[in-house]
Amino acid sequence: MTLPLLVLLELALRTLPVPRVIRACGLRPVPVAPESPTATTPTLRVRGRARLVRTGARTLGGRPRCLAQALTLVLLTRRAARDLTLHLGVGRDDAGALRAHAWVRHGGVVVIGGEEAPDFVEVERFALG
């Protein structure tokens, strides 16, 4: 189920406006505020599904973008983990070009997209709702 969903979301992100895809995944905007300093350990189910999404992304040629991976994780775990948040950020690469990145937090811990997240300034946050 992970791989077809990842491919479907990648196609949706290439053909539809991003806000529409995010809304279709059941996410709503929430205020961007500092994260709580107390983080809890993500559940085994969320960590396992995040690993499945990363593995699925590696098997696809042309590597799916981070937003497709983040949305796939949200959809796969939305029943088991209602406190997931999708974060969107912007930053600049070494040449100064603008870049965007998406990551997902669960229990205050980044579960997917965390490798690059510190290089980006968060501009938007979404929660299930």
Side-chain angles (χ1 to χ4, degrees):
M1 169 126 185
T2 303
L3 205 51
L5 186 57
L6 189 57
V7 170
L8 178 67
L9 284 165
E10 182 65 28
L11 289 172
L13 289 167
R14 290 175 189 255
T15 58
L16 299 170
V18 171
R20 185 173 176 186
V21 176
I22 290 173
R23 280 192 312 272
C25 290
L27 294 162
R28 61 176 170 70
V30 294
V32 174
E35 289 291 331
S36 168
T38 55
T40 60
T41 304
T43 64
L44 287 174
R45 176 173 280 164
V46 172
R47 287 186 298 181
R49 299 254 169 98
R51 197 170 24 261
L52 281 173
V53 171
R54 284 190 297 273
T55 301
R58 281 194 300 269
T59 64
L60 293 174
R63 189 168 164 106
R65 66 182 92 187
C66 54
L67 184 54
Q69 294 179 49
L71 291 172
T72 299
L73 179 62
V74 167
L75 289 176
L76 289 174
T77 58
R78 68 178 176 235
R79 288 192 181 108
R82 298 292 303 166
D83 62 338
L84 288 173
T85 52
L86 169 69
H87 302 258
L88 302 179
V90 295
R92 297 204 178 267
D93 64 14
D94 294 337
L98 192 63
R99 297 179 12 194
H101 186 56
W103 61 97
V104 174
R105 285 183 177 265
H106 173 55
V109 177
V110 178
V111 290
I112 200 162
E115 309 80 32
E116 296 182 43
D119 298 335
F120 293 85
V121 175
E122 183 181 4
V123 294
E124 208 157 359
R125 186 179 300 176
F126 299 87
L128 290 167

